[in-house]
Amino acid sequence: MDTLLDLLNSRPLVNGKEQDALGDPAGGRRWAREHGGEGSRAELALLRETRDILRDIVRGERSPAVLSPLLEGVHQIPEITSDGLQWTVKTPPHARLAVEVVLAWAATEKRMPGRLRPCANNECQLFLLDRSRANRARWCSMAVCGNREKARRHYERTR
């Protein structure tokens, strides 16, 4: 689940300019390796594509059906171990990390429907996973986006 959020949030706005953690080869390789990938060009291209598709899906701009091509040829193989039943994902090596992110998104939607969402700050491109009991979290960071929004509303009320 952390890798899912990290991928969705790998294109933040910093001082009004978009930064892309997967944009340059060295930074992208580092990001992929830190998340269990290999960092190949093919893997980075697929991660960027997966990120953009998932961002649109979470925002409600695209249907989850657009994920189908990313999952073609992917198989889950059951394996009995001393810990019980485990599922192993079989996919081409360059696609493994992207497929795992898609599976994490699907599991999140199943276990916590509607809790993965974009930040309510229109000037922010980040996403949050609302783990609160009330399911009312709106901002990726209360310290940053939440305070800015509250200050903006206060200013507008007192003007």
Side-chain angles (χ1 to χ4, degrees):
M1 199 166 331
D2 290 339
T3 302
L4 169 62
L5 267 179
D6 287 350
L7 183 63
L8 286 172
N9 291 334
S10 65
R11 249 180 44 194
L13 288 177
V14 178
N15 297 323
K17 290 187 176 185
E18 186 175 82
Q19 306 293 313
D20 187 351
L22 304 176
D24 74 279
R29 242 187 330 276
R30 184 174 45 256
W31 190 97
R33 288 179 179 153
E34 287 172 359
H35 291 85
E38 59 187 34
S40 70
R41 286 180 194 239
E43 181 181 51
L44 293 178
L46 194 55
L47 284 170
R48 285 189 295 271
E49 179 184 359
T50 302
R51 173 192 60 200
D52 295 344
I53 290 170
L54 286 173
R55 289 169 66 115
D56 290 348
I57 290 170
V58 173
R59 287 183 179 131
E61 298 169 359
R62 290 170 91 175
S63 164
V66 298
L67 291 169
S68 293
L70 293 172
L71 300 175
E72 285 179 14
V74 174
H75 302 284
Q76 281 193 320
I77 311 295
E79 182 181 342
I80 301 294
T81 68
S82 59
D83 296 329
L85 178 66
Q86 292 186 357
W87 291 88
T88 303
V89 175
K90 297 291 184 187
T91 186
H94 77 279
R96 184 189 54 77
L97 188 54
V99 167
E100 287 176 358
V101 169
V102 170
L103 294 175
W105 167 80
T108 300
E109 285 301 303
K110 185 175 184 175
R111 284 193 331 267
M112 305 169 75
R115 290 185 175 251
L116 178 64
R117 55 181 163 258
C119 179
N121 179 353
N122 293 332
E123 297 170 9
C124 179
Q125 292 189 155
L126 300 181
F127 291 79
L128 64 121
L129 180 61
D130 185 354
R131 293 182 172 106
S132 71
R133 176 176 240 153
N135 191 22
R136 294 177 56 176
R138 299 181 55 206
W139 300 289
C140 63
S141 165
M142 189 61 193
V144 179
C145 290
N147 279 343
R148 284 184 188 154
E149 186 65 25
K150 286 182 176 190
R152 186 175 308 142
R153 283 188 290 182
H154 174 73
Y155 174 76
E156 289 172 2
R157 280 193 312 266
T158 59
R159 242 184 348 156

